[in-house]
Amino acid sequence: MIILGIETSCDETAAAIVEESGDRQRPWRLRSSVVASQMALHREWGGIVPELSARQHIRDICPVVRGALAQADVVDVDAIAVTQGPGLVGSLLVGLSFAKSLAWARGVPLVPVHHLAGHIESLTLENGEMALPAVVLVVSGGHTSLYRVDVPGRYELLGRTRDDAAGEAYDKVAKLLGLGYPGGPIIDRRAANGDDRAIPFPKTRITHADRNAPEVPGTRDFSFSGLKTSVLRHVMLRRAALGIGEQEPLPDREIDDICASFQRVVVETLVDRLFDAARWYGARSVGIAGGVSANSRLRAESRTRGAARDIPVFVPSIVLSTDNAAMIAAAGLRNFRGGVTATWDLSAKASLMLT
Ligand code: KG4
Ligand code: ZN
């Protein structure tokens, strides 16, 4: 079976062809993957502008899908998978309407996919089936969520961020340091030259709604907005101390140290929560997916921690860590084999939950 995947939830228009391999351990083979990034379009505004994003998807969707079919040397597909949500509703609607029309015209089933299930399945697409139970961290610009997978294709939410996603914190910190957009890769690069102990930014402790109650055992939630505020406060204090104006950057050395210190706290928080959950649930493997999984320190530390605990760690290649349609096609095959197809009244859902 060959499936076309379509992804337009945020600022990438993507299409891909994935086929079943017949091998239970490595069930899918990637035939093509095309991504048209809108990064340059949004950079000017310092973040994603939803209306511009939706309009650019309309311009790009036809050539991107054509490109994916041509690269795979495929004319007919057996099904079409599309991201139903979560994401920017105007952007989602472009992919969804296109996928619906194409599926209807070609007389093939339409398969709805949750964007985060796509990120999780990118791990199986590249590495084969994970040993279960697995604990997977999905960490991107819009999400920081921890899932347990006991059965392939069933995802149980263990915890999520209560405010900013980790990628969002990267992007906001980069913006306040005047480093540009998207912030993740820039901070990752600058951190390599900095001292990660230079500034003692605090790690967030998640407390009970009743602040006098003890920390809930087993809580798996995240919070990054306090860390972002600490960076902002530090930057303001340093500007005042150095007599630098609000629009002027701090000295390069200081920026490198801030990046390294911020990144240490983010990565330690993510890795600690992930491996705590893995131990708690007796996971036989762990995974990290989503845009932030491209982070060099997160990759290195999770590998070290996995080796120390003798637990395999799955991370996608850089091209499959940020948004793409290969992961949507893979998750679409998983859904289709699980009996999931959509009716023609399928609608985009900006806040779609994954269990
Ligand atoms: O998964 P993704 O492409 O889109 C969403 O679904 O959000 O993730 C994009 C996010 C952005 O916030 C970007 O700054 C972050 O992933 N990112 C990184 C790195 N590369 C991308 N964050 C930290 N380190 C990186 N190397
Ligand atoms: Zn994503």
Side-chain angles (χ1 to χ4, degrees), residues 115 119 140-142 167-168 170-171 182-185 188 290-292 294-295 321-323:
H115 182 80
H119 276 301
S140 69
E168 189 180 356
Y170 265 98
D171 295 337
D188 195 359
V292 181
N295 185 265
S321 63
T322 48
D323 286 349

Side-chain angles (χ1 to χ4, degrees), residues 4-281:
L4 165 68
I6 293 177
E7 152 68 35
T8 61
S9 67
C10 195
D11 60 342
E12 263 101 22
T13 317
I17 301 287
V18 173
E19 69 182 354
E20 286 179 321
S21 66
D23 174 351
R24 284 173 70 94
Q25 238 350 85
R26 291 186 80 94
W28 309 309
R29 192 178 302 127
L30 179 59
R31 293 278 301 268
S32 69
S33 179
V34 176
V35 180
S37 171
Q38 303 177 358
M39 210 179 278
L41 176 71
H42 299 292
R43 187 171 285 134
E44 186 181 342
W45 308 96
I48 294 166
V49 184
E51 184 59 31
L52 292 182
S53 170
R55 289 181 197 192
Q56 193 60 36
H57 284 305
I58 293 173
R59 291 186 196 102
D60 287 338
I61 187 88
C62 285
V64 164
V65 170
R66 252 191 236 118
L69 289 166
Q71 261 186 31
D73 201 14
V74 159
V75 177
D76 294 319
V77 294
D78 302 307
I80 297 176
V82 65
T83 307
Q84 186 192 4
L88 303 170
V89 76
S91 300
L92 286 165
L93 277 169
V94 178
L96 198 78
S97 311
F98 188 94
K100 252 192 222 180
S101 315
L102 193 60
W104 187 81
R106 296 218 176 176
V108 297
L110 178 69
V111 185
V113 171
H114 191 288
H115 182 80
L116 298 191
H119 276 301
I120 295 172
E121 297 303 344
S122 69
L123 298 169
T124 297
L125 174 62
E126 283 198 314
N127 306 296
E129 296 286 6
M130 297 177 72
L132 302 180
V135 171
V136 181
L137 174 70
V138 185
V139 63
S140 69
H143 304 272
T144 302
S145 302
L146 203 51
Y147 287 94
R148 176 163 73 148
V149 186
D150 279 352
V151 174
R154 281 232 298 273
Y155 319 99
E156 184 196 336
L157 182 65
L158 302 176
R160 56 194 295 212
T161 182
R162 295 192 182 177
D163 38 60
D164 292 350
E168 189 180 356
Y170 265 98
D171 295 337
K172 287 177 174 170
V173 164
K175 194 171 180 176
L176 72 90
L177 291 172
L179 296 181
Y181 172 85
I186 306 173
I187 291 185
D188 195 359
R189 258 195 323 273
R190 298 287 300 249
N193 308 322
D195 171 4
D196 67 0
R197 300 272 165 189
I199 306 132
F201 292 129
K203 270 196 192 168
T204 306
R205 279 173 61 87
I206 302 286
T207 50
H208 196 271
D210 168 4
R211 287 187 165 272
N212 294 318
E215 193 168 352
V216 187
T219 186
R220 308 274 171 238
D221 281 351
F222 300 88
S223 165
F224 292 104
S225 74
L227 173 61
K228 175 193 66 191
T229 308
S230 301
V231 177
L232 176 63
R233 242 195 344 255
H234 176 81
V235 169
M236 282 164 51
L237 285 174
R238 290 303 301 153
R239 281 210 174 106
L242 297 169
I244 293 178
E246 226 176 81
Q247 300 306 321
E248 285 173 73
L250 289 173
D252 274 347
R253 272 285 301 279
E254 290 208 20
I255 291 184
D256 292 346
D257 286 349
I258 293 171
C259 289
S261 302
F262 163 79
Q263 177 152 288
R264 179 179 63 80
V265 173
V266 174
V267 169
E268 280 179 1
T269 304
L270 294 173
V271 173
D272 284 352
R273 287 265 194 286
L274 173 61
F275 281 89
D276 277 358
R279 195 180 49 221
W280 183 272
Y281 292 105

